[in-house]
Amino acid sequence: MKRFISVLLACAMCALFSTSVFAAEEPSQAPSQEVAEEVTTNDTEASERALGNLLATNGGTIRNGMGSIRVTLHSGNFSADFMAVLGYCEVDTLVTCTVRDPAGNIYDLGSVSGNGNSTRTYSVFYAQAGTYTFNFVTGTSHPVDVACYIYD
């Protein structure tokens, strides 16, 4: 059931990314584009997923083989899960993802390839409030759309 919902979510994200234009934010070392989507308490209650309640999300396009997407968690949460989903890429490429928490700890979400596929989830006992940076390394210079999630 979780796999089905993940695939369904990935398909929805593909449709979203294929029709959206993202505002660019170009850091000097890791290029990325981001669209911020804040999740309020009411949104969280309505965003029940297979992994639990959706606490925070963000998405964008990774260019030139590397980039990062920042996701802000507005309040701390016990038993949080991190996951990323690949959107559209015109070539089949391997994408590796790690997450850096506000304290500087790094969590490995593994590698994934193929449009619509998701990384493995990484669970932490407690996720403190702050900005989490999802870092991506791709095997191509082609743009790769990604979506990043933090679940309860």
Side-chain angles (χ1 to χ4, degrees):
M1 184 66 177
K2 287 184 180 182
R3 177 75 176 156
F4 173 74
I5 292 175
S6 295
V7 170
L8 186 62
L9 178 62
C11 290
M13 293 308 299
C14 288
L16 174 71
F17 286 129
S18 66
T19 59
S20 299
V21 177
F22 297 100
E25 181 179 326
E26 302 271 345
S28 60
Q29 293 182 338
S32 71
Q33 292 185 331
E34 298 183 32
V35 169
E37 179 182 335
E38 300 224 359
V39 179
T40 64
T41 304
N42 292 337
D43 293 336
T44 302
E45 292 169 2
S47 299
E48 182 71 26
R49 302 282 192 257
L51 294 173
N53 291 327
L54 180 62
L55 300 174
T57 185
N58 199 357
T61 302
I62 304 304
R63 300 186 190 290
N64 300 320
M66 64 174 16
S68 61
I69 303 293
R70 289 184 287 291
V71 179
T72 301
L73 185 60
H74 294 286
S75 62
N77 192 74
F78 285 96
S79 187
D81 298 310
F82 305 115
M83 183 180 73
V85 176
L86 298 184
Y88 177 74
C89 182
E90 57 189 66
V91 298
D92 191 23
T93 184
L94 189 65
V95 179
T96 302
C97 180
T98 59
V99 178
R100 182 187 228 40
D101 71 10
N105 299 312
I106 297 175
Y107 309 109
D108 183 12
L109 299 184
S111 298
V112 65
S113 65
N115 295 333
N117 290 331
S118 61
T119 65
R120 67 175 177 246
T121 58
Y122 192 97
S123 298
V124 294
F125 176 71
Y126 181 75
Q128 67 185 30
T131 300
Y132 289 76
T133 305
F134 286 70
N135 296 302
F136 297 90
V137 176
T138 71
T140 182
S141 61
H142 290 280
V144 178
D145 293 334
V146 295
C148 307
Y149 301 97
I150 301 176
Y151 289 98
D152 182 12

